[in-house]
């Protein structure tokens, strides 16, 4: 007896010890998770800062070129080089356009096995296009042009703002940025169904750039637009702009995929982009637009603008009235100049410069651009003449004032469009220029409130910003950001999301992640991996600022010790980089060898960054560094100079490009240095430079890409990957919910918050709407009956399909070679889809019609 | 004396900087506020090991009207000015000191009664559901996803402790 008591005591004691140990582990683990979260956050910061600083550079360059156009004599070399670029507003008869884009003379070769389109398009052709793109086929340029021409004709009939309504049976699906990531679009179609009369869609801009399949995405969206003009709605995004496309890859993509007719395709797309509607309003209560609003956004103004005048939204259109053309240009310039004077002489805070974002983000170039003396004189004379004529008119309404107002109107319109495409929300009240992106504005909750009440609306759905979860509510849930390109920065960096909106106008968000890679990784691995690629990017950026950084360090290192304190290191780095990153936080990741007192040997540090420079010994160091740093800018200028979009520029243009760049960057390049560059690339000495080749030759790489090797090893050894269906939805979201939820009844609204896979869902009945949220492979689906609509969401190869009867419509979605087809009986209509040589055909009897 | 004062000042500035750095990472709008739900991550990433209850105390240490700077969603925001003194005090007084790594390993060894060198997922789950602040479903799943060896479906805790220590280091 006594023995028993002591035994139980001992157990008690042991249990206490175990619980103490458990608590310690809990403690430790939570601390560990916090540190990982910290990493995840700053990784995000790095990606985003680098992305936005690129956007800024793009807009700066464009403003610079615009400035050149406005200030150089028409005949100057520099101007000739870029003037074609601004000749976009040409008034051209539509019939002339149609002739220019005529596709009829393009022959489609017999051997072409891709999809063939006829117009009006049929539903079958639409889905065959999707299938072809899924299988990495390409659409023939003849059909591309034809499809684009049809799209252009259709788009011109649409108003600036599409007004649509929900209805009980048709929920509207809204998608955010796709950025050329076809995998995401296919996944959305797979999960949600293709667009149709019953399944309307709004695609909220940024279809192109960055991803590899931008043109495919456009062609799919346009073909569905042609098929269902009342049920598919496209809003323009800031990347539907040919100038933005020069930097972010779409131009390059089209020229690579369509070598012969790429140029015409791009030209036609320029037109199409300018005709894309600007916004969509659902049930008069929900506004869907790409970027956002500002304190001046007014839908009635937006509804009236000639949207096609804004071929690029980065620059206000010039007036084209022939009689006043020259005058209005001068005036505009004058207004702009005085605007600049105001903003530079005034010490008032930033918001004043709002409204002329050109001037606010444009540093003063006048010291770099030396106007020829005669031209300055001429300009002054023109101004004088103008003023004297104004003085001669009646003083009350001088003509100059009139046209000034006219200019303001255009300016005002342009600003509305710019804000719509480029703005981001912020948490503070107010409205300030978006200095980070260089375009549009930041608007606060008060602006949202005011806008919604002015327009009698409830909600703004916008895209434009990548969010880790694919969506994010802000401004008291009155603004929803929606981003549909998953793994945007890197594999595992973010989810994508789309929204379904029914008559109750309560947005229902569906998240996904396209890459099947991500599910194999634990949270920890994912964070580690994205962190590494973010740091790699950042290290390259740092390396490309080497000489500026060394200057900054030396400034702080008064005694020339070669060392700086960590504090000084962080300060100097931010002073040079302007990325607004938490440098002190990042120091452990960026600086590994430190002295005991915490100081950094800065020269040593650059070796430590482990960046491999291309082997270009004979080329000036400063020139090389400039090349690394302004890589995208340089490529953009090349693409502009490459007037005929051939991908190749001649030596003279090459030199001119550098001249432009040297003005832009305030740097001197000697003729000799530039010749060296040219020679280094033009190995066959034919006097022309391949842009692509040139850019590739001057790329920074990692010295040791251990991580990359590790990653590909990982991809190679994961045996499960081969068995996965492409586009299989990511199941990483499958977290069981809180134990308290077990007390809820089916139908309880709280259940909608459960993730698929939650054990609580087992209590749902077949037909329960919550089941629609389940993903393929969910055990709960086994409880469904054949014919249940939820089964339409199953993948081919899904074990649940084995329960379907031959003849079940769901089987039509199976792909050739699918094991489930072996269950079909001879004569089954589904077999007609099989291709010759399919093993399933061996089961058929000779004489079977399918044979 | 003056020297001591100077040194103390340097320490305080260093501590403030450290806090500022951590805070900034979570300050999305660069307006010196963070979501209340992020405070845990900030405090812990500064090397502290508070319990969940202690964390709540830290958050509640502010007068409630200041705490809820702006009520958006069911949460609130905490501004840097209020967070700094509380957090500085914690760091200066060395509250919630880190638990040494060897203790972490010892703790796992205590749970591994038969000294097999590994734990079963169910075993670990049982233990983690103990104590005053048991793991939530989410935490448990997350922990298992990185702790369980996929081949054997076991937790080789020595390896796990190593990854936890290594990943957080630097």
């Amino acid at each position: 007896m006594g023995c028993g008591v002591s035994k139980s005591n001992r157990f008690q004691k042991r249990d206490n010890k175990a619980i103490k140990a458990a608590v310690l582990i809990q403690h430790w683990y939570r601390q560990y998770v916090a540190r990982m979260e910290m990493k995840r956050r700053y990784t995000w910061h790095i990606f985003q800062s680098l992305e936005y600083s690129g956007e800024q550079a793009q807009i700066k360059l464009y403003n610079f070129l615009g400035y050149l156009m406005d200030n150089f004599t028409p005949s100057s070399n520099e101007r000739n080089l870029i003037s074609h670029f601004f000749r976009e507003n040409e008034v051209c008869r539509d019939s002339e356009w149609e002739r220019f884009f005529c596709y009829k003379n393009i022959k489609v070769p017999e051997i072409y096995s891709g999809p063939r389109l006829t117009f009006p398009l049929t539903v079958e052709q639409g889905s065959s296009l999707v299938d072809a793109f899924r299988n990495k086929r390409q659409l023939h340029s003849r059909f591309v042009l034809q499809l684009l021409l049809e799209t252009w004709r259709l788009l011109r009939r649409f108003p600036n703002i599409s007004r649509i309504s929900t209805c009980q049976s048709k929920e509207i699906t809204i998608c955010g940025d796709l950025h050329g990531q076809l995998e995401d679009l296919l996944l959305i179609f797979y999960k949600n169904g293709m667009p149709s009369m019953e399944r309307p869609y709004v695609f909220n801009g940024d279809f192109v750039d960055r991803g590899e399949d931008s043109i495919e995405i456009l062609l799919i969206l346009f073909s569905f637009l042609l098929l269902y003009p009342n049920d598919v709605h496209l809003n323009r995004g800031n990347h539907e702009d040919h100038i933005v496309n020069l930097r972010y890859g779409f131009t390059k993509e089209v020229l690579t995929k369509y070598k012969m007719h790429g140029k015409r395709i791009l030209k036609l797309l320029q037109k199409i982009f300018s005709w894309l509607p600007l916004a969509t309003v659902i049930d008069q209560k929900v506004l869907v637009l790409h970027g956002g609003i500002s304190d001046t956004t007014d839908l009635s103004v937006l509804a009236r603008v000639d949207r096609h005048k804004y071929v690029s939204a980065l620059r206000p259109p010039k007036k084209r009235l022939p009689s006043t053309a020259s005058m209005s240009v001068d005036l505009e310039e004058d207004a702009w100049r005085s605007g600049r004077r105001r903003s530079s002489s005034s010490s008032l805070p930033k918001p004043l410069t709002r409204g002329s974002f050109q001037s606010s983000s444009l540093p003063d170039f006048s010291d770099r651009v030396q106007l020829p003396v005669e031209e300055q004189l001429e300009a002054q004379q023109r101004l004088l003449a103008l003023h004297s004529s104004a003085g001669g008119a009646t003083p009350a309404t001088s003509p100059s004032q009139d046209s000034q107002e006219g200019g303001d109107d255009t300016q005002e319109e342009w600003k509305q469009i710019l804000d719509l495409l480029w703005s981001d929300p912020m948490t503070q009240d107010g409205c300030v220029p978006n200095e980070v992106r260089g375009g549009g504005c930041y608007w606060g909750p008060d602006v949202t409130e005011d806008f919604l009440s002015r327009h009698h609306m409830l909600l703004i759905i916008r895209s434009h910003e990548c969010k880790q979860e694919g969506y994010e509510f802000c401004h008291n849930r009155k603004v929803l950001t929606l981003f549909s390109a998953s793994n945007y920065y890197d594999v595992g960096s973010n989810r994508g999301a789309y929204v379904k909106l029914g008559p109750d106008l309560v947005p229902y968000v569906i998240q996904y992640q396209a890459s099947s890679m991500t599910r194999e990784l634990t949270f920890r691995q994912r964070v580690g991996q994205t962190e590494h690629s973010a740091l790699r990017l950042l290290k390259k950026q740092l390396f490309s600022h080497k000489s500026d950084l060394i200057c900054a360090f030396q400034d702080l290192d008064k005694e020339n010790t070669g060392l700086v304190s960590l504090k000084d290191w962080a300060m100097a780095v931010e002073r040079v980089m302007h990325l607004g990153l938490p440098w002190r936080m990042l120091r452990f990741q960026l600086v590994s060898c430190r002295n005991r007192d915490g100081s950094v040997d800065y020269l040593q540090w650059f070796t430590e960054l482990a960046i491999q420079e291309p082997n270009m010994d004979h080329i000036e160091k400063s020139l090389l560094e400039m090349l690394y740093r302004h890589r995208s800018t340089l490529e953009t200028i090349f693409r502009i100079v490459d007037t005929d979009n051939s991908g190749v520029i001649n030596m003279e243009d090459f030199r001119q490009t550098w001249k432009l760049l040297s003005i832009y960057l305030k740097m001197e390049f000697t003729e000799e240095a530039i010749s060296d560059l040219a020679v280094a690339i033009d190995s066959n000495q034919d006097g022309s430079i391949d842009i692509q080749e040139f850019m590739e030759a001057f790329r920074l790489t990692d010295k040791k890409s251990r991580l990359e090797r590790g990653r590909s090893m990982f991809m190679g050894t994961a045996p499960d990957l081969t068995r996965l269906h492409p586009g299989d939805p990511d199941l990483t979201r499958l977290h069981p919910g809180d134990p308290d939820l077990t007390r809820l009844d089916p139908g309880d609204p709280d259940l909608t918050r459960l993730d698929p896979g939650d054990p609580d869902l087992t209590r749902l009945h077949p037909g329960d709407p919550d089941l629609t949220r389940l993903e393929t492979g969910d055990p709960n689906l086994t409880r469904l009956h054949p014919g249940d609509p939820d089964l339409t969401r199953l993948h081919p190869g899904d074990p649940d399909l084995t329960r379907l009867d031959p003849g079940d419509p769901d089987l039509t979605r199976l792909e050739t070679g699918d094991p489930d087809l072996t269950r079909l009986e001879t004569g089954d209509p589904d077999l007609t889809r099989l291709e010759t040589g399919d093993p399933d055909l061996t089961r058929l009897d000779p004489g079977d019609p399918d044979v | 004396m003056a020297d001591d004062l100077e040194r103390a000042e340097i320490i305080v500035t260093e501590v403030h900087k450290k806090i500022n750095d951590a805070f900034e990472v979570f300050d999305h709008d660069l307006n010196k506020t963070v979501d209340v739900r992020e405070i845990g991550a900030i405090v812990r990433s500064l090397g502290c090991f508070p319990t969940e209850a202690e964390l709540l105390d830290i958050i509640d240490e502010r007068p409630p009207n200041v705490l809820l700077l702006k009520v958006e969603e069911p949460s609130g925001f905490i501004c840097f000015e209020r967070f700094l003194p509380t957090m500085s005090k914690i760091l200066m007084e060395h509250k919630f000191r880190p638990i040494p790594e060897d203790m972490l390993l010892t703790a796992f060894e205590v749970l591994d009664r038969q000294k097999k060198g590994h734990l079963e997922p169910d075993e670990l789950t049982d233990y983690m559901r103990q104590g005053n602040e048991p793991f939530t479903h989410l935490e448990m799943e997350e922990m298992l996803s990185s702790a369980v060896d996929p081949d054997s479906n076991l937790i080789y805790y020595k390896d796990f402790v190593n990854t936890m220590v290594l990943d957080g280091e630097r």
Side-chain angles (χ1 to χ4, degrees):
Chain A
M1 195 67 190
C3 180
V5 169
S6 79
K7 198 176 171 187
S8 102
N9 264 349
R10 214 169 54 231
F11 263 132
Q12 191 76 41
K13 219 171 149 190
R14 238 167 111 174
D15 262 6
N16 277 340
K17 210 177 157 197
I19 287 174
K20 262 193 189 155
V23 168
L24 188 142
I25 295 169
Q26 288 168 354
H27 228 79
W28 236 94
Y29 183 74
R30 284 186 174 127
Q31 211 268 346
Y32 163 73
V33 168
R35 279 177 302 170
M36 294 310 285
E37 183 61 20
M38 183 63 98
K39 276 188 190 182
R40 200 169 76 107
R41 295 304 175 93
Y42 66 63
T43 300
W44 193 256
H45 272 276
I46 295 174
F47 279 131
Q48 211 169 36
S49 305
L50 292 179
E51 178 184 7
Y52 288 173
S53 84
E55 278 183 3
Q56 237 176 6
Q58 166 75 2
I59 288 176
K60 252 191 213 159
L61 172 67
Y62 189 64
N63 286 337
F64 165 72
L65 297 176
Y67 183 84
L68 282 186
M69 282 305 292
D70 295 341
N71 291 284
F72 274 111
T73 39
S75 57
S76 74
N77 276 337
E78 288 84 352
R79 191 175 158 142
N80 279 343
L81 206 58
I82 53 169
S83 60
H84 70 277
F85 191 60
F86 291 95
R87 234 184 291 123
E88 60 200 16
N89 297 330
E90 304 153 286
V91 190
C92 215
R93 268 181 226 284
D94 289 346
S95 58
E96 287 173 34
W97 276 109
E98 302 217 1
R99 217 173 310 137
F100 181 71
F101 294 120
C102 187
Y103 50 86
K104 292 199 175 97
N105 53 354
I106 303 175
K107 286 265 175 297
V108 182
E110 292 281 322
I111 48 156
Y112 170 71
S113 60
R116 287 168 186 269
L117 308 180
T118 53
F119 293 85
L121 216 58
T122 65
V123 178
E124 290 70 41
Q125 286 177 348
S127 48
S128 77
L129 197 61
V130 175
D131 284 343
F133 291 155
R134 182 185 291 124
N135 297 320
K136 307 272 169 221
R137 291 235 181 90
Q138 205 173 308
L139 183 65
H140 194 274
S141 52
R142 179 199 156 99
F143 300 119
V144 174
L145 281 167
Q146 205 174 352
L147 180 70
L148 293 181
L149 213 50
E150 293 288 332
T151 307
W152 176 53
R153 286 194 193 117
L154 177 67
L155 282 173
R156 282 184 301 168
R157 300 213 306 266
F158 292 150
N160 293 347
I161 301 172
S162 322
R163 294 186 177 271
I164 56 176
S165 38
T166 60
C167 85
Q168 214 61 46
S169 56
K170 300 193 207 183
E171 278 183 320
I172 297 174
T173 306
I174 304 152
C175 301
D177 295 22
L178 288 164
H179 278 305
Q181 300 189 183
L182 184 62
E183 213 186 334
D184 286 291
L185 181 65
L186 294 179
L187 182 54
I188 294 169
F189 284 170
Y190 171 73
K191 286 173 78 99
N192 193 57
M194 303 250 203
S196 68
M197 237 115 85
E198 289 69 43
R199 207 171 281 111
Y201 271 89
V202 178
F203 294 96
N204 200 21
D206 280 13
F207 317 124
V208 302
D209 274 339
R210 296 206 161 95
E212 289 170 1
D213 302 312
S214 295
I215 186 73
E216 283 74 18
I217 288 194
L218 280 183
L219 295 171
I220 291 176
L221 297 184
F222 290 161
S223 55
F224 281 114
L225 183 75
L226 289 169
L227 282 169
Y228 308 106
N230 299 317
D231 302 288
V232 171
H233 306 275
L234 308 180
N235 292 340
R236 188 175 185 180
N238 63 318
H239 278 265
E240 275 68 60
D241 184 320
H242 68 115
I243 288 171
V244 177
N245 298 154
L246 286 170
R247 182 186 284 253
Y248 292 102
F250 181 51
T251 309
K252 194 159 103 189
E253 181 194 318
V254 173
L255 293 176
T256 317
K257 287 182 178 167
Y258 293 99
K259 296 214 163 48
M260 275 267 271
H261 301 285
K263 187 189 160 191
R264 271 161 100 192
I265 292 172
L266 284 174
K267 196 83 189 159
L268 190 45
L269 279 169
Q270 249 183 57
K271 295 237 101 190
I272 288 178
F273 286 167
S274 71
W275 278 105
L276 284 171
L278 300 171
T280 304
V281 174
I282 301 171
D283 287 354
Q284 303 182 337
K285 293 290 177 206
V286 179
L287 175 66
V288 188
L289 38 60
H290 180 72
I293 57 168
S294 71
D295 50 0
T296 55
T297 300
D298 185 335
L299 289 188
S300 60
V301 174
L302 280 167
R304 281 198 314 267
V305 300
D306 286 331
R307 64 175 187 272
H308 67 281
K309 282 199 306 190
Y310 299 85
V311 177
S312 169
L314 292 177
R315 198 174 150 86
K318 293 208 164 162
K319 286 195 165 171
R320 288 289 143 188
L321 290 174
S323 56
T324 58
S326 68
M327 193 172 83
S328 67
V329 169
D330 288 337
L331 274 171
E332 205 174 289
E333 207 173 280
D334 187 39
W336 186 40
R337 277 204 193 121
S338 63
R340 278 192 323 120
R341 219 175 295 129
R342 194 171 57 234
S343 63
S344 56
S345 64
S346 151
S347 58
L348 281 165
K350 285 166 185 173
L352 232 203
T353 61
R354 164 106 202 97
S356 52
F357 110 82
Q358 259 200 335
S359 46
S360 67
S361 55
L362 173 66
D364 195 345
F365 286 114
S366 50
D367 55 332
R368 296 179 222 184
V369 182
Q370 292 286 316
L371 282 184
V373 180
E374 322 87 80
E375 202 194 333
Q376 277 178 340
L377 278 173
E378 199 189 320
Q380 274 171 5
Q381 274 164 359
R382 269 184 304 185
L383 273 178
L384 270 174
L386 198 69
H387 285 308
S388 63
S389 79
T394 44
T397 53
S398 73
S400 78
Q401 253 179 347
D402 271 351
S403 29
Q404 189 75 54
E405 275 161 23
D408 281 353
D409 265 2
T410 324
Q411 205 73 23
E412 179 53 33
E413 268 188 7
W414 169 59
K415 198 171 87 62
Q416 293 261 338
I417 290 184
L418 197 69
D419 287 342
L420 182 145
L421 294 174
W422 281 87
S423 299
D424 294 317
M426 61 176 180
T427 44
Q428 305 101 301
D429 281 346
C431 192
V432 293
N434 198 329
E435 301 276 342
V436 181
R437 286 190 194 255
C441 71
Y442 284 116
W443 85 92
D446 57 333
V447 176
T448 298
E449 204 58 56
D450 174 63
F451 175 88
L452 291 176
S453 74
R454 251 190 304 133
H455 291 84
H456 310 288
M457 288 185 170
L458 297 172
L459 173 71
I460 297 173
I461 298 180
R462 44 89 58 174
S463 301
H464 196 43
E465 276 181 287
C466 182
K467 296 287 175 191
Q468 285 192 327
E469 293 302 317
Y471 76 98
E472 194 175 286
F473 279 101
C474 63
H475 294 184
N476 206 14
R477 290 183 79 87
K478 299 278 177 62
V479 173
L480 168 61
T481 299
L482 191 62
F483 197 83
S484 300
S486 62
N487 308 307
Y488 178 64
Y489 291 125
D490 189 34
V491 178
S493 70
N494 66 292
R495 290 177 186 164
Y498 59 89
V499 154
K500 301 201 80 159
L501 209 58
D504 59 358
L505 298 181
V506 177
Y508 174 62
V509 183
I510 298 103
Q511 297 170 289
Y512 56 86
Q513 202 148 1
S515 175
S516 41
M517 268 280 292
T518 48
R519 104 185 49 185
E520 301 292 326
L521 302 173
T522 65
F523 169 73
R524 191 180 61 77
Q525 287 170 315
R526 251 182 349 240
V527 171
Q529 191 185 309
T530 12
E531 183 197 10
H532 273 286
S533 54
L535 288 172
R536 215 161 52 215
L537 265 179
L538 188 58
K539 283 178 181 174
K540 278 182 197 162
Q541 284 285 319
L542 287 167
F543 191 84
S544 69
H545 287 77
K546 188 172 171 181
S547 44
D548 283 359
L549 283 168
I550 287 181
C551 273
F553 292 139
Q554 277 166 348
D555 257 9
L556 294 164
D557 176 24
K558 296 274 183 259
E559 277 141 52
N560 230 342
T561 55
L563 302 173
V564 286
S565 69
L566 265 178
K567 185 185 105 210
D568 286 350
W569 173 84
M571 200 162 73
V573 170
E574 177 57 25
R575 196 181 292 161
V576 172
M577 305 299 292
H578 301 292
L579 287 171
L581 288 171
W583 296 107
R584 291 169 53 88
M585 201 72 216
L586 289 167
R587 65 184 184 263
F588 300 109
Q589 276 70 21
L590 294 171
V591 190
S592 56
C593 74
R594 272 174 300 146
N595 293 349
R596 205 172 302 152
D597 63 348
S599 61
V600 181
D601 179 337
Y602 50 84
L603 289 174
Q604 170 66 28
W605 179 51
F606 286 100
T607 340
E608 203 187 290
L609 287 175
I611 302 293
Q612 184 89 56
E613 285 184 86
N615 188 17
M616 296 281 176
D617 289 339
H618 53 293
I619 289 169
E620 249 179 60
K621 277 280 166 222
S622 64
L623 198 62
L624 274 181
E625 193 177 309
M626 199 283 314
L627 264 167
Y628 306 146
R629 197 194 301 182
H630 300 283
R631 213 185 136 70
S632 312
T633 300
L634 181 64
E635 186 171 352
T636 310
I637 301 183
F638 275 145
R639 300 236 173 251
I640 296 172
V641 170
D642 176 23
T643 325
D644 57 357
N645 280 330
S646 58
V648 175
I649 53 178
N650 65 33
M651 217 40 103
E652 184 46 33
D653 287 351
F654 183 77
R655 268 182 244 283
Q656 290 292 346
T657 305
W658 284 91
K659 233 169 155 180
L660 269 184
L661 201 70
S662 72
I663 304 172
Y664 178 60
L665 299 172
K666 286 190 194 170
M667 282 175 81
E668 292 286 336
F669 307 116
T670 61
E671 287 280 334
E672 204 188 336
I674 292 165
S675 296
D676 283 349
L677 269 183
V679 170
I681 295 312
D682 182 22
S683 47
N684 58 353
Q685 306 280 317
D686 66 350
S688 58
I689 308 260
D690 184 310
I691 299 175
Q692 186 84 6
E693 220 175 284
F694 184 85
M695 297 316 299
E696 284 305 313
F698 293 95
R699 186 186 282 284
L700 289 174
T701 48
D702 291 311
K703 253 181 200 155
K704 37 175 187 197
S705 50
R706 197 157 34 101
L707 186 94
E708 272 167 320
R709 259 182 282 137
R711 190 165 133 192
S712 56
M713 228 165 64
F714 169 82
M715 289 172 81
T717 52
D720 276 358
L721 288 181
T722 52
R723 284 190 287 114
L724 295 173
H725 188 270
D728 195 34
D730 171 51
L731 300 174
T732 50
R733 231 156 39 88
L734 304 185
H735 293 303
D738 200 273
D740 280 341
L741 288 169
T742 54
R743 287 178 291 112
L744 301 177
D745 295 321
D748 191 292
D750 280 332
L751 283 176
T752 59
R753 289 180 298 113
L754 297 183
D755 286 313
D758 193 290
D760 291 323
L761 288 175
T762 56
R763 290 176 296 116
L764 302 179
H765 301 300
D768 190 290
D770 285 326
L771 283 175
T772 58
R773 292 178 303 111
L774 298 184
E775 286 178 276
T776 311
D778 192 291
N780 290 314
L781 287 175
T782 57
R783 291 180 298 118
L784 303 179
H785 300 299
D788 190 291
D790 288 324
L791 286 175
T792 57
R793 290 173 302 110
L794 299 181
H795 282 298
D798 192 288
D800 289 325
L801 285 175
T802 57
R803 293 180 296 115
L804 301 182
D805 298 319
D808 190 292
D810 289 325
L811 286 175
T812 57
R813 290 177 302 109
L814 299 182
E815 276 166 330
T816 312
D818 192 289
D820 287 325
L821 285 175
T822 57
R823 292 182 297 112
L824 300 181
E825 270 151 0
T826 310
D828 190 290
D830 287 326
L831 287 175
T832 56
R833 292 179 300 114
L834 299 181
E835 277 164 331
T836 317
D838 191 288
D840 288 326
L841 286 175
T842 57
R843 293 181 296 115
L844 301 179
D845 296 324
D848 191 290
D850 290 325
V851 181
Chain B
M1 187 66 192
D3 220 34
D4 277 357
L5 205 68
E6 208 172 280
R7 206 174 302 141
E9 257 170 35
I10 290 173
I11 292 173
V12 171
T13 340
E14 274 306 302
V15 165
H16 282 193
K17 284 221 177 83
K18 228 173 125 181
I19 298 170
N20 187 45
D21 287 344
F23 194 89
E24 266 180 9
V25 174
F26 292 86
D27 177 11
H28 304 299
D29 299 306
L30 304 171
N31 63 352
K32 296 269 162 202
T33 59
V34 295
D35 194 302
V36 153
R37 290 167 294 186
E38 323 255 46
I39 289 295
I42 298 176
V43 174
R44 288 191 170 117
S45 66
L46 282 166
C48 296
F49 283 64
T51 64
E52 298 290 281
E54 283 163 340
L55 253 184
L56 280 181
D57 285 345
I58 297 174
I59 293 168
D60 285 343
E61 206 157 298
R62 279 144 281 263
N65 55 334
V66 183
L67 164 72
L68 300 172
L69 277 177
K70 203 188 289 172
V71 181
E72 191 166 323
E73 320 264 359
S75 64
F77 284 86
I78 290 204
C79 73
F80 184 65
E81 282 73 39
R82 305 302 301 187
F83 180 68
L84 184 67
T86 316
M87 197 61 221
S88 306
K89 207 168 142 220
I90 292 168
L91 289 181
M92 301 295 280
E93 290 173 1
H94 298 286
K95 271 195 199 170
F96 319 127
R97 300 186 83 148
I99 304 162
E101 296 147 35
D102 51 347
M103 277 183 72
L104 178 64
L105 186 61
T106 315
F108 273 105
E109 279 163 0
V110 168
L111 301 188
D112 176 21
R113 295 199 168 151
Q114 287 105 49
K115 308 288 164 232
K116 293 177 300 217
H118 59 76
L119 290 167
E120 305 270 342
D122 287 347
E123 233 178 316
L124 183 64
T125 308
D126 275 349
Y127 284 122
M128 292 301 105
R129 294 250 166 89
Q130 304 284 327
N132 291 330
E133 294 168 346
F135 269 11
T136 62
H137 260 287
L138 211 95
E139 281 177 310
M140 199 59 234
E141 182 127 314
E142 182 46 62
M143 184 187 204
L144 289 178
S145 83
S146 44
V148 176
D149 171 57
D151 295 329
S152 56
N153 197 32
L154 293 170
I155 295 131
Y156 293 99
Y157 51 82
K158 207 167 177 176
D159 295 345
F160 181 53
V161 169
N162 274 337
T163 44
M164 275 214 275
V165 172
L166 277 179
D167 279 338
E169 222 178 42
R170 286 192 249 209

